[in-house]
């Protein structure tokens, strides 16, 4: 085989589109189901920490409400980790040997160096004048100051999002869930009176509460990002529109 034969040829546009579409479908379908050893709790998670299914078995009532809530969180984290692993492996498999595909593994990206702010003191004060009567040095100073504010805003936003959480309660107040921005389930509180429900009903209440908290966390994050981006991009409406899409009902609860 000659040297030119060893050079990988780029995929034709049609084949590249087909491959990327297949990749998107595979990522969207990347889910994982994890159960406790006694079958008390079963959680199905998808990409992005999404809890797409939750079920309780009869063994759930052997635990105190506090312990059952903790088991939901623990099982959800295991399921989310497995779903993320499945998604990562899917992306690696599709991209293997195909450098023309974009790198979708965010965790593999190197840290970007912080850009140096412009030295506004070096801008000459006798710059040209534009059509609106503004000197070039004045315009550049304003642009530089705005860029500096934007960089500071991004740094502050990143720090705030690590601490941003949202809480939701069930209609009767007996179940509460806390979710971090980004979808990570932080805590689930189940009241003692909720044990009056059968396992499937209780699982449905908990799942709905978690989904509500997740939606609120996403909206809080969108509102905070909106403050930084301004009217250039309506982030809040994009998130709200996505959340308005009807979700497929989960009838997989076990009794």
């Amino acid at each position: 085989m000659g040297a030119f034969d060893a050079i990988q040829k780029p995929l034709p546009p049609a084949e590249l589109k087909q491959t990327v579409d297949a990749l998107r479908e595979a990522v969207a379908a990347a889910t994982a189901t994890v159960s406790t050893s006694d079958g008390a709790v079963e959680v199905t998670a998808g990409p992005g920490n999404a809890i797409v299914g939750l079920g309780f078995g009869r063994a759930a009532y052997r635990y105190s409400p506090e312990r059952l809530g903790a088991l939901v969180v623990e099982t959800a984290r295991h399921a989310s980790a497995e779903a993320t692993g499945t998604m990562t492996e899917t992306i690696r498999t599709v991209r293997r040997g195909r450098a023309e595909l974009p790198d979708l593994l965010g965790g593999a990206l190197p840290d970007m160096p912080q850009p140096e702010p412009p030295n506004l003191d070096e801008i000459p004060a006798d710059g040209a004048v534009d059509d609106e009567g503004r000197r070039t040095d004045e315009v550049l100073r304003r642009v530089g100051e705005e860029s500096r504010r934007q960089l500071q805003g991004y740094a502050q936003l990143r720090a705030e999002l690590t601490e941003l959480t949202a809480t939701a309660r069930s209609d009767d107040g007996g179940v509460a869930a806390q979710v971090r921005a980004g979808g990570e389930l932080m805590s689930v509180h189940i009241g003692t009176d909720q044990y009056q429900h059968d396992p499937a009903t209780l699982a449905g209440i908990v799942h709905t509460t978690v989904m509500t908290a997740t939606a609120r966390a996403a909206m809080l994050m969108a509102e905070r990002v909106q403050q930084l981006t301004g009217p250039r991009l309506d982030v809040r409406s994009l998130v709200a529109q996505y959340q308005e899409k009807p979700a497929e009902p989960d009838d997989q609860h076990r009794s």
Side-chain angles (χ1 to χ4, degrees), residues 20-215:
V20 172
D21 289 344
L23 176 61
R24 288 175 178 169
E25 293 177 3
V27 169
T31 61
T33 299
V34 174
S35 302
T36 57
S37 58
D38 58 2
V41 178
E42 179 180 280
V43 175
T44 300
N49 295 315
I51 307 301
V52 299
L54 174 64
F56 289 152
R58 290 291 178 185
Y61 294 91
R62 300 175 187 170
Y63 298 95
S64 66
E66 292 78 12
R67 179 55 184 157
L68 182 59
L71 276 177
V72 171
V73 175
E74 293 171 11
T75 309
R77 287 176 178 170
H78 287 306
S80 296
E82 287 196 14
T84 300
T86 300
M87 179 182 65
T88 301
E89 186 57 34
T90 298
I91 294 174
R92 286 176 176 164
T93 300
V94 174
R95 290 192 70 249
R96 188 168 293 128
R98 292 179 174 176
E100 66 273 22
L101 292 178
D103 188 355
L104 303 178
L105 298 176
L109 293 178
D111 294 332
M112 298 299 292
Q114 188 75 7
E116 291 291 335
N119 187 353
L120 303 181
D121 295 331
E122 296 179 357
I123 301 176
D126 56 349
V129 178
D130 63 11
D131 294 339
E132 298 179 5
R134 300 175 301 180
R135 291 203 315 269
T136 303
D137 62 302
E138 294 177 349
V139 175
L140 291 177
R141 288 180 190 276
R142 291 177 184 175
V143 172
E145 291 171 358
E146 177 62 23
S147 299
R148 183 173 297 173
R149 284 194 295 268
Q150 285 280 6
L151 289 174
Q152 293 173 346
Y154 284 127
Q156 181 180 356
L157 174 63
R158 186 171 184 177
E160 289 180 2
L161 292 183
T162 61
E163 302 297 331
L164 183 64
T165 62
T167 302
R169 287 190 173 275
S170 58
D171 292 339
D172 62 2
V175 175
Q178 184 182 39
V179 175
R180 191 193 301 274
E184 180 185 0
L185 181 60
M186 302 300 296
S187 66
V188 171
H189 171 79
I190 301 174
T192 306
D193 59 337
Q194 296 299 303
Y195 278 16
Q196 64 181 310
H197 301 297
D198 61 85
T201 300
L202 179 56
I205 295 173
V206 174
H207 190 202
T208 299
T209 307
V210 169
M211 292 173 64
T212 302
T214 301

